[in-house]
Amino acid sequence: MRLENKREVQSSVKDERLIEMRRDQMIKGAVSLFKQKGFHRTTTREIAKASGFSIGTLYEYIRTKEDVLYLVCDRIYDEVRVRLHDMELDGGTLQSLSRGIAHYFKVVDSMQDEVLVMYQEAKSLSKDALPYVLKKELEMTKMFETLIQKCVDEGELVMEQDEIHLLAQNIFVQGQMWAFRRWALRKYNIDQYTDRQTELLLKGVRGYQAAVNKGE
Amino acid sequence: MRLENKREVQSSVKDERLIEMRRDQMIKGAVSLFKQKGFHRTTTREIAKASGFSIGTLYEYIRTKEDVLYLVCDRIYDEVRVRLHDMELDGGTLQSLSRGIAHYFKVVDSMQDEVLVMYQEAKSLSKDALPYVLKKELEMTKMFETLIQKCVDEGELVMEQDEIHLLAQNIFVQGQMWAFRRWALRKYNIDQYTDRQTELLLKGVRGYQAAVNKGE
Amino acid sequence: MRLENKREVQSSVKDERLIEMRRDQMIKGAVSLFKQKGFHRTTTREIAKASGFSIGTLYEYIRTKEDVLYLVCDRIYDEVRVRLHDMELDGGTLQSLSRGIAHYFKVVDSMQDEVLVMYQEAKSLSKDALPYVLKKELEMTKMFETLIQKCVDEGELVMEQDEIHLLAQNIFVQGQMWAFRRWALRKYNIDQYTDRQTELLLKGVRGYQAAVNKGE
Amino acid sequence: MRLENKREVQSSVKDERLIEMRRDQMIKGAVSLFKQKGFHRTTTREIAKASGFSIGTLYEYIRTKEDVLYLVCDRIYDEVRVRLHDMELDGGTLQSLSRGIAHYFKVVDSMQDEVLVMYQEAKSLSKDALPYVLKKELEMTKMFETLIQKCVDEGELVMEQDEIHLLAQNIFVQGQMWAFRRWALRKYNIDQYTDRQTELLLKGVRGYQAAVNKGE
DNA sequence: GATGAATGAGTATTCATTCAT
DNA sequence: GATGAATGAATACTCATTCAT
């Protein structure tokens, strides 16, 4: 079973540019509401109002309330991914890896609300829509795997396949953690958080210390 | 603002033993339902039915639906905490630290459903009840901090305060991660997961390598 | 595929006597509303109000609005049938046949509203419920067929099978006609209507004239 | 209160030929939809689509959804009436009467869908539009009355006024019956149905037997 | 004349909570 | 203490109708 990259959300409006525009408004409004009260406690009328149009218009661009959630999740992932594209995936040095991490953390930091929402509400997606979102998450962890793999290929790191996979997961989760555990991380700002986590993440990998020393 | 350890959930029934018993049934039923459909999609009628009594009786032991969620979260934390009490907090060796981690991961593994539920639904608690739950989480991360601190005191590890705190957070989150990212961790069993994570967590801390070497 | 005699309409209330009672109220209220505005223009809230209870309570006794329609149709047929049971099916004389017709017309006359409603709204039943209602209609036309057949068996009438069937249908429809074409039949009262129709229905059947003459 | 023959349905379009054309499309589309799902379950959007133009255009030719129903009913009656004009109203023989009936039944048979729709949905017309439709029905039953009256005048039949009226009603209803009770009449084709019904309708009227004998 | 996006009143249905028995 | 019938506020979604382009 192949999975298309997008799940179409049906709209009874034809004009593609209009759809784009209205959905932009919708997503913006919905994120702010979902953040405050969560998906279930937010009503479709509130979404419509926050989006700047009527309930009838809202339903011209979606089919069900869940579609809004899907659009929100979809959009957030897309944006995160686009922003991550600046990352130099072909570095192969520990420096480029830690720059990648820092970059990712920065993106999460600047999209805290969105990440938090997606993180907490994605599970409310139906069995139908969930795979599309998970697929995007997979792509993101893959990026970190690639980054790490490059370092291994270049001999900068020594790690087994299993460890690479897990390290990538850890990086990804620690990024999200910055959004969903803010209450426990108040003592750090994003730079401190990034530094500390990078240390903890990489200090242990064989070769890191050498690299640091060299840099000194 | 001091926070009592328990938030009383009012019951119109007096018999404490009865309350205990009914709530046990209730929590068991609720966890299974929340796991399947989430808190919001579960109705009080379903909870009553799954608990083996009537909707009227359910409301003899709680005041609102949210009370059920609170009781569930509360219970799960208590259980995790109780189970963690076997942990030797006074070790002060890297070995006792990694034993602690392994122990915690094992507990999470054996309570996957519960941890998952609490993890995903705790955010639905009202501003009123949330602090009580967060407090318990705090206590748990404190345990890891203590464990790490002991190692530092014993000279087994060299870490600053900030790093200790963050490492404890990471350990805690990586435990939960075993429950909430199972879909991405299918390639490991709990032992492999524990080994790999412990390596990644500790390999980097100064002193670990030495300890491993010593052990060889 | 056999058809049970009743399609169960689910109720979340257990007490059978209560169900009976509430549905009585409901049907009474619904018939009067459906008569005024038709099924589609009647809201469930109006039904609840006319039944003397709240919208919530209404839904304790049915699952969907269509259930109300089904209950109404079902009840009306049952009542008509019960009332027709006084008919002497074993007569076998033209007199008993015309008495049967008169009896049926009288029943229709006394249940005009109900018959009209059922007549006009039954088509709104889902493909699921319709067969149950049609089955009851079939039973009623069968009664007339039996009545006629008896006369044929006794030599009072000479008719082929096809004609018997059609005559029964005509009697049945002419009964309903009294309800659904009142606007065109204002010039008759029920007795006149009955007399005229009986004449038209039976004058033609071989043997009728003889019978009438005998009676003179 | 005199009743004009047509109730004007307002249109914001001026070109009469265009109006005619568009309404043709509209009626054709609507009949097919009403037949499938009934008037209330059909949306104006569906009607527009089935008619081959946009919702906006639909509303250029009507004022309300009910107008569509009125146009449909109106059109069907007109068509039935036009087709009945071939009927020789001036016959005055039983033969011409039964030919009239056969002709009418044939028309109903060829317009089954339309007759069924009108039959089931006309009641949804507002108090405002209904009289116009009933008036047309009246005209049709009048035709049968005329037909019968002629026979009486010619001495072919002996009937009182009341009976004539009722017989005309019966003929009319039995024609419709062929459309709305098809499910119960599957055993006949239209010719058999016509023959049987004509027999039942006329056998009884004084003079019929003689006529039949004469014809032998 | 034609289009289709926008509107919002209206509707069926759900569900937490209460309370008489 | 236990039950479950009653309640009605709340909510997702629809659809006839309008009107700017």
Side-chain angles (χ1 to χ4, degrees):
Chain A
M1 176 200 54
R2 281 292 292 301
L3 205 59
E4 290 306 314
N5 214 30
K6 288 274 173 201
R7 188 176 91 115
E8 280 307 319
V9 170
Q10 292 211 24
S11 162
S12 53
V13 172
K14 301 291 168 59
D15 186 334
E16 290 290 344
R17 283 162 61 91
L18 204 48
I19 293 180
E20 183 71 12
M21 202 182 97
R22 292 287 181 242
R23 286 191 177 164
D24 275 357
Q25 297 174 265
M26 213 165 86
I27 288 164
K28 202 167 286 177
V31 165
S32 126
L33 287 166
F34 292 173
K35 188 197 159 196
Q36 286 168 54
K37 0 173 36 182
F39 173 70
H40 283 105
R41 293 199 223 268
T42 301
T43 69
T44 51
R45 291 188 122 84
E46 286 170 326
I47 296 171
K49 194 169 196 180
S51 311
F53 35 73
S54 71
I55 182 68
T57 300
L58 179 70
Y59 275 90
E60 292 279 306
Y61 295 91
I62 54 161
R63 279 259 258 254
T64 67
K65 186 184 173 190
E66 208 214 280
D67 280 348
V68 180
L69 182 56
Y70 174 73
L71 287 174
V72 164
C73 292
D74 192 56
R75 173 66 55 92
I76 295 172
Y77 267 118
D78 278 353
E79 199 161 331
V80 172
R81 247 182 358 178
V82 165
R83 296 233 217 150
L84 285 189
H85 266 328
D86 303 345
M87 234 158 69
E88 6 160 6
L89 285 172
D90 49 344
T93 67
L94 285 179
Q95 226 177 19
S96 72
L97 175 55
S98 54
R99 268 205 299 268
I101 294 172
H103 184 52
Y104 166 56
F105 282 14
K106 209 137 233 156
V107 169
V108 170
D109 183 54
S110 72
M111 294 179 67
Q112 264 177 69
D113 290 355
E114 287 83 358
V115 170
L116 185 60
V117 161
M118 213 204 43
Y119 196 74
Q120 297 193 323
E121 307 296 349
K123 66 153 208 307
S124 294
L125 288 170
S126 64
K127 297 275 168 268
D128 194 40
L130 198 58
Y132 292 86
V133 172
L134 293 186
K135 194 187 171 201
K136 300 212 163 159
E137 217 175 289
L138 210 62
E139 282 172 34
M140 289 178 55
T141 53
K142 268 267 146 51
M143 290 178 68
F144 293 114
E145 280 186 48
T146 307
L147 223 51
I148 300 164
Q149 184 67 55
K150 278 271 161 58
C151 293
V152 172
D153 292 348
E154 300 294 323
E156 292 269 312
L157 288 178
V158 183
M159 298 187 95
E160 289 169 42
Q161 209 56 43
D162 272 7
E163 278 181 315
I164 294 174
H165 177 253
L166 199 54
L167 185 57
Q169 297 281 329
N170 286 348
I171 292 170
F172 183 73
V173 169
Q174 280 172 17
Q176 292 191 139
M177 190 172 145
W178 179 247
F180 74 76
R181 278 184 84 81
R182 283 313 298 278
W183 62 271
L185 301 171
R186 295 258 171 260
K187 59 162 64 169
Y188 313 102
N189 63 30
I190 182 62
D191 291 325
Q192 293 164 335
Y193 181 73
T194 305
D195 287 352
R196 297 278 178 284
Q197 287 291 35
T198 311
E199 282 258 311
L200 288 175
L201 280 165
L202 297 185
K203 228 167 40 176
V205 294
R206 230 169 295 169
Y208 176 74
Q209 209 57 43
V212 170
N213 292 339
K214 232 188 291 178
E216 274 168 1
Chain B
M1 174 199 58
R2 281 290 296 301
L3 205 60
E4 291 306 314
N5 212 30
K6 288 275 174 200
R7 187 178 91 115
E8 278 308 315
V9 171
Q10 293 209 23
S11 162
S12 55
V13 173
K14 298 291 156 57
D15 184 338
E16 290 290 344
R17 284 163 59 92
L18 203 47
I19 294 180
E20 181 72 10
M21 201 181 94
R22 293 287 186 234
R23 287 189 176 166
D24 274 359
Q25 299 173 267
M26 216 165 83
I27 290 164
K28 198 168 289 178
V31 164
S32 129
L33 286 166
F34 291 172
K35 188 197 159 195
Q36 287 169 55
K37 3 175 30 186
F39 173 70
H40 283 104
R41 292 197 224 269
T42 301
T43 69
T44 51
R45 287 172 129 94
E46 286 170 325
I47 296 171
K49 191 169 197 181
S51 311
F53 38 73
S54 72
I55 181 68
T57 302
L58 179 71
Y59 274 86
E60 294 283 314
Y61 295 91
I62 55 164
R63 277 266 251 257
T64 70
K65 184 185 174 190
E66 209 214 279
D67 281 348
V68 180
L69 183 56
Y70 175 73
L71 287 174
V72 163
C73 292
D74 192 56
R75 172 67 55 92
I76 294 172
Y77 267 117
D78 279 354
E79 198 163 332
V80 172
R81 251 186 353 184
V82 165
R83 297 233 217 150
L84 285 190
H85 265 329
D86 303 345
M87 234 158 68
E88 3 157 11
L89 286 171
D90 49 343
T93 66
L94 285 179
Q95 227 178 19
S96 73
L97 175 54
S98 55
R99 267 204 301 267
I101 293 171
H103 185 52
Y104 166 55
F105 281 15
K106 208 136 234 158
V107 169
V108 170
D109 184 55
S110 71
M111 293 180 67
Q112 264 177 70
D113 291 354
E114 287 82 359
V115 170
L116 185 60
V117 161
M118 214 204 42
Y119 194 73
Q120 297 192 323
E121 308 297 347
K123 67 159 205 306
S124 294
L125 288 170
S126 64
K127 296 281 169 257
D128 194 39
L130 199 58
Y132 292 86
V133 172
L134 292 186
K135 195 187 170 203
K136 301 213 161 159
E137 219 175 287
L138 212 62
E139 283 173 32
M140 288 177 58
T141 52
K142 267 268 149 46
M143 290 178 69
F144 293 114
E145 280 188 47
T146 308
L147 220 51
I148 299 164
Q149 185 67 53
K150 278 270 161 58
C151 292
V152 172
D153 293 349
E154 299 295 324
E156 293 269 311
L157 287 178
V158 183
M159 299 186 94
E160 289 168 43
Q161 210 53 45
D162 272 7
E163 277 181 317
I164 294 174
H165 178 253
L166 199 52
L167 185 57
Q169 297 280 328
N170 286 347
I171 292 170
F172 184 71
V173 168
Q174 280 171 16
Q176 292 192 141
M177 188 174 149
W178 179 246
F180 73 76
R181 277 183 85 80
R182 282 312 299 277
W183 63 272
L185 300 172
R186 294 256 170 264
K187 60 162 63 172
Y188 313 104
N189 62 33
I190 183 60
D191 292 325
Q192 291 164 336
Y193 182 74
T194 306
D195 287 351
R196 296 277 178 285
Q197 286 292 35
T198 311
E199 283 256 311
L200 289 175
L201 280 165
L202 297 185
K203 225 166 41 174
V205 293
R206 230 171 294 168
Y208 176 74
Q209 208 59 42
V212 170
N213 291 339
K214 230 191 292 180
E216 274 172 0
Chain C
M1 175 201 55
R2 281 291 293 302
L3 205 58
E4 290 306 315
N5 214 32
K6 288 274 173 202
R7 189 177 90 116
E8 280 308 319
V9 171
Q10 293 210 23
S11 164
S12 55
V13 172
K14 302 290 168 59
D15 186 334
E16 292 289 343
R17 283 160 61 93
L18 204 48
I19 293 180
E20 183 72 10
M21 202 181 96
R22 292 287 181 241
R23 287 191 176 166
D24 275 357
Q25 297 173 265
M26 213 165 87
I27 289 164
K28 201 168 287 179
V31 164
S32 124
L33 287 166
F34 291 172
K35 188 197 159 197
Q36 287 167 55
K37 1 174 34 184
F39 173 70
H40 283 104
R41 292 199 222 269
T42 300
T43 68
T44 52
R45 292 188 119 85
E46 287 170 324
I47 296 171
K49 194 169 197 179
S51 312
F53 36 72
S54 71
I55 181 68
T57 301
L58 179 70
Y59 274 89
E60 292 280 305
Y61 294 91
I62 53 160
R63 280 259 258 255
T64 67
K65 186 184 172 189
E66 208 215 279
D67 281 347
V68 181
L69 182 56
Y70 175 73
L71 287 174
V72 164
C73 292
D74 192 57
R75 173 65 56 90
I76 294 172
Y77 267 118
D78 278 354
E79 198 161 331
V80 172
R81 249 185 356 180
V82 164
R83 296 234 217 148
L84 285 189
H85 266 328
D86 303 346
M87 233 159 69
E88 6 161 7
L89 284 172
D90 48 346
T93 66
L94 286 178
Q95 228 179 20
S96 72
L97 176 55
S98 54
R99 267 206 300 269
I101 293 171
H103 185 52
Y104 166 55
F105 281 15
K106 209 137 234 158
V107 168
V108 170
D109 183 54
S110 71
M111 294 178 67
Q112 263 177 70
D113 291 355
E114 286 82 359
V115 171
L116 185 60
V117 162
M118 213 204 43
Y119 197 73
Q120 298 192 322
E121 306 297 349
K123 66 153 209 308
S124 294
L125 287 170
S126 64
K127 296 277 169 267
D128 195 40
L130 198 57
Y132 291 87
V133 173
L134 293 186
K135 195 187 170 201
K136 300 213 163 159
E137 217 174 289
L138 211 63
E139 283 172 34
M140 289 179 56
T141 52
K142 267 268 148 50
M143 290 178 70
F144 292 114
E145 280 186 48
T146 308
L147 222 51
I148 300 165
Q149 184 67 53
K150 277 272 161 58
C151 294
V152 172
D153 292 347
E154 299 295 323
E156 294 269 311
L157 288 178
V158 182
M159 298 187 95
E160 288 169 43
Q161 210 55 44
D162 272 7
E163 278 181 316
I164 295 174
H165 178 253
L166 199 53
L167 185 57
Q169 297 280 329
N170 286 348
I171 292 170
F172 184 71
V173 168
Q174 280 172 16
Q176 293 192 138
M177 190 172 146
W178 179 246
F180 73 76
R181 277 184 86 80
R182 283 312 298 280
W183 62 273
L185 301 172
R186 293 257 172 263
K187 59 163 62 171
Y188 314 103
N189 62 31
I190 183 62
D191 292 325
Q192 292 163 335
Y193 181 73
T194 306
D195 287 351
R196 297 278 178 284
Q197 286 292 35
T198 310
E199 283 258 310
L200 288 175
L201 280 166
L202 297 185
K203 225 163 48 173
V205 293
R206 231 169 295 169
Y208 177 75
Q209 208 58 41
V212 170
N213 292 339
K214 232 189 292 179
E216 274 168 3
Chain D
M1 174 200 56
R2 281 291 294 302
L3 205 59
E4 291 306 314
N5 213 30
K6 288 275 172 200
R7 187 176 91 114
E8 278 309 316
V9 171
Q10 294 208 23
S11 162
S12 55
V13 174
K14 297 292 155 57
D15 184 337
E16 290 291 342
R17 283 161 60 92
L18 203 47
I19 294 181
E20 182 71 12
M21 201 183 92
R22 292 288 186 233
R23 287 192 176 165
D24 274 358
Q25 298 174 269
M26 215 165 84
I27 290 164
K28 199 168 288 178
V31 165
S32 129
L33 286 166
F34 292 173
K35 188 197 159 195
Q36 287 168 54
K37 2 175 33 185
F39 173 69
H40 282 104
R41 294 197 222 270
T42 300
T43 69
T44 50
R45 288 172 128 93
E46 286 170 325
I47 296 171
K49 191 169 197 181
S51 311
F53 38 74
S54 72
I55 181 69
T57 302
L58 180 70
Y59 273 87
E60 295 282 315
Y61 295 92
I62 55 162
R63 277 267 253 257
T64 70
K65 185 184 173 189
E66 208 214 278
D67 281 347
V68 181
L69 183 56
Y70 174 72
L71 288 174
V72 164
C73 291
D74 193 55
R75 171 67 55 91
I76 294 173
Y77 268 118
D78 279 353
E79 197 162 332
V80 172
R81 248 183 358 181
V82 165
R83 295 233 218 151
L84 284 189
H85 266 326
D86 303 344
M87 233 158 68
E88 4 159 11
L89 285 172
D90 48 345
T93 64
L94 286 179
Q95 229 178 18
S96 72
L97 174 55
S98 54
R99 267 205 299 268
I101 293 171
H103 186 51
Y104 167 55
F105 282 15
K106 209 135 233 159
V107 169
V108 169
D109 184 54
S110 72
M111 294 178 67
Q112 264 177 69
D113 290 356
E114 286 82 359
V115 171
L116 185 60
V117 161
M118 215 204 41
Y119 193 74
Q120 296 192 324
E121 307 297 347
K123 65 155 206 308
S124 294
L125 288 170
S126 64
K127 296 283 170 257
D128 194 39
L130 199 57
Y132 292 87
V133 172
L134 293 186
K135 195 187 170 203
K136 301 213 161 159
E137 219 175 287
L138 212 61
E139 283 172 33
M140 288 177 57
T141 53
K142 267 270 148 47
M143 291 177 68
F144 293 114
E145 280 186 47
T146 308
L147 221 51
I148 300 165
Q149 185 67 53
K150 278 271 162 58
C151 292
V152 172
D153 293 349
E154 299 294 323
E156 292 269 310
L157 288 179
V158 182
M159 299 187 94
E160 289 168 42
Q161 210 55 44
D162 272 8
E163 277 181 315
I164 294 173
H165 178 254
L166 199 54
L167 185 57
Q169 297 280 329
N170 286 347
I171 292 170
F172 184 72
V173 169
Q174 279 171 18
Q176 293 192 137
M177 188 173 148
W178 179 247
F180 74 75
R181 277 183 84 80
R182 282 312 299 277
W183 62 272
L185 300 172
R186 294 255 171 262
K187 58 162 62 170
Y188 313 103
N189 62 33
I190 182 62
D191 292 324
Q192 292 164 337
Y193 181 73
T194 306
D195 288 351
R196 297 277 179 283
Q197 286 291 34
T198 310
E199 283 256 310
L200 289 175
L201 280 165
L202 296 185
K203 227 166 42 175
V205 295
R206 230 170 296 167
Y208 177 74
Q209 209 58 43
V212 169
N213 292 338
K214 230 190 293 179
E216 276 170 359

